[in-house]
């Protein structure tokens, strides 16, 4: 599968993705923000747009639908609960469904509530191996989505702990926004001795602003993202969260720790 990432320069720093399965000659756009650059890209490649998938119903993940549907009439997939909320979405998808599928690869739908209750992610599987995950507003580089526009932090905690914690280290992360620098600083505000996060900040500072973005695997994300530390937080992290929230880490409730972290990030 060929993966193209577009930084949209939107106020919320959105990413749009184009995926092409050359085996079947079909093309998908995930979360199109602006139809104009996508159309230009497709014209340069000489490709049609066969499918759109919107990870969830927020307008910054769907605003390109109208222009692309007028031009290409693609099938528009979304969570069943988002049909009627997302412009032109007609085809509901559920956990385990496969799209852009051929013999060697496909995208598998994950049902991932929490940021909203109509949120799906896409897992790229090639030759039987999980290669990458497109996470919309569920998981970001060094962070997770907020829950105050139609979601719930405890539900997002369950989604991340049950579906992303066990995911293989080599899976690449393709999020819906770039909040890398801010999220790393949040991690370090709570876990200042996190070596991997300190190194990641150094790397971040070498990137050209709004030009270069990381493609991290989950091995790194599990170290630099505090929301991945809910089962085994460092002593620093446990103490900082206790100082700020009055709640102690409880090994029996990593979800509770996740919710505390999310509340701190909301105010940060
Ligand atoms: Zn959103």
């Amino acid at each position: 599968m060929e993966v193209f990432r577009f930084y949209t320069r939107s106020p919320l720093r959105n990413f749009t993705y184009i995926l092409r399965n050359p085996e079947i000659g079909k093309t998908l756009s995930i979360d199109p923000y602006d139809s104009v650059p996508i159309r230009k890209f497709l014209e340069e490649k000489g490709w049609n747009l066969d499918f759109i998938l919107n990870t969830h119903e927020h307008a910054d993940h769907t605003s390109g639908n109208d222009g692309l549907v007028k031009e290409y009439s693609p099938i528009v997939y979304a969570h069943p609960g988002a049909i009627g909320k997302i412009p032109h979405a007609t085809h509901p998808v559920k956990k385990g469904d496969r799209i852009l599928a051929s013999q060697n690869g496909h995208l598998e739908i994950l049902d991932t509530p929490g940021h909203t209750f109509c949120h799906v992610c896409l897992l790229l599987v090639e030759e039987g191996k999980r290669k990458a995950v497109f996470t919309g507003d569920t998981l970001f580089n060094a962070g997770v989505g907020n829950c105050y526009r139609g979601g719930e932090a405890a539900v997002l905690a369950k989604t991340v702990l049950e579906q992303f914690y066990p995911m293989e280290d080599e899976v690449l992360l393709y999020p819906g926004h770039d909040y890398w620098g801010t999220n790393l600083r949040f991690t370090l505000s709570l876990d200042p001795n996190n070596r991997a996060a300190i190194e990641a900040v150094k790397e971040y500072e070498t990137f050209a602003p709004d030009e270069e973005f990381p493609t991290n695997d989950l091995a790194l994300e599990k170290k630099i993202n505090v929301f991945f530390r809910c089962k085994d937080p460092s002593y620093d992290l446990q103490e900082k969260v206790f100082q700020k929230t009055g709640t102690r880490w409880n090994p029996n409730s990593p979800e509770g720790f996740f919710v505390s972290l999310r509340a701190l990030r909301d105010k940060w």
Side-chain angles (χ1 to χ4, degrees):
M1 207 81 72
E2 295 174 54
V3 176
F4 302 89
R5 172 171 48 194
F6 295 84
Y7 177 58
T8 61
R9 299 179 185 274
S10 66
L12 292 169
R13 307 184 66 77
N14 292 74
F15 290 124
T16 288
Y17 295 91
I18 300 278
L19 277 73
R20 171 86 169 171
N21 186 337
E23 277 188 82
I24 53 171
K26 303 268 184 199
T27 306
L28 161 78
S29 177
I30 301 173
D31 288 349
Y33 175 81
D34 180 355
S35 62
V36 175
I38 297 171
R39 217 166 56 207
K40 186 165 175 285
F41 174 82
L42 292 169
E43 275 166 18
E44 281 166 11
K45 292 281 190 183
W47 294 344
N48 184 38
L49 183 69
D50 304 284
F51 311 105
I52 290 172
L53 181 135
N54 303 107
T55 57
H56 63 291
E57 69 274 34
H58 289 156
D60 58 314
H61 295 258
T62 69
S63 48
N65 281 23
D66 200 45
L68 293 172
V69 167
K70 279 184 186 137
E71 182 78 21
Y72 299 101
S73 304
I75 287 173
V76 182
Y77 295 115
H79 187 284
I83 304 289
K85 295 179 185 168
I86 293 177
H88 307 284
T90 47
H91 284 57
V93 285
K94 61 179 190 312
K95 177 178 153 54
D97 282 354
R98 294 178 175 192
I99 60 174
L100 215 61
S102 64
Q103 199 173 356
N104 291 329
H106 62 266
L107 290 156
E108 180 184 324
I109 303 293
L110 308 178
D111 189 2
T112 51
H115 173 66
T116 75
F117 285 91
C118 310
H119 195 298
V120 296
C121 295
L122 285 160
L123 189 61
L124 171 60
V125 180
E126 285 180 319
E127 282 153 9
K129 289 203 176 110
R130 299 167 177 214
K131 292 286 177 69
V133 65
F134 298 85
T135 54
D137 286 0
T138 297
L139 188 64
F140 299 132
N141 291 112
V144 296
N146 65 49
C147 300
Y148 48 74
R149 289 171 64 210
E152 193 179 322
V155 176
L156 184 64
K158 194 166 157 8
T159 290
V160 173
L161 279 149
E162 288 182 358
Q163 299 192 56
F164 290 96
Y165 273 51
M167 216 172 264
E168 293 85 346
D169 283 353
E170 51 273 22
V171 172
L172 300 177
L173 174 62
Y174 289 108
H177 296 263
D178 169 55
Y179 300 141
W180 193 37
T182 311
N183 283 338
L184 280 175
R185 286 192 286 277
F186 177 68
T187 289
L188 287 170
S189 76
L190 297 173
D191 194 13
N193 297 318
N194 183 324
R195 284 246 181 84
I198 292 166
E199 289 304 313
V201 166
K202 283 186 198 157
E203 187 194 0
Y204 170 72
E205 286 167 354
T206 67
F207 277 31
D210 294 351
E211 297 292 341
E212 288 178 84
F213 302 94
T215 306
N216 293 341
D217 60 22
L218 292 186
L220 180 59
E221 289 297 329
K222 286 171 188 177
K223 292 179 191 158
I224 64 175
N225 186 342
V226 278
F227 292 91
F228 266 121
R229 309 306 307 180
C230 297
K231 286 186 176 173
D232 57 350
S234 67
Y235 181 75
D236 280 346
L237 179 54
Q238 289 182 38
E239 284 301 303
K240 276 275 167 46
V241 172
F242 175 61
Q243 283 165 18
K244 288 172 190 279
T245 66
T247 308
R248 283 227 175 264
W249 176 68
N250 173 357
N252 297 317
S253 178
E255 293 84 1
F257 196 71
F258 185 105
V259 170
S260 296
L261 289 173
R262 187 58 257 178
L264 288 173
R265 180 67 176 83
D266 287 346
K267 289 183 281 175
W268 192 70

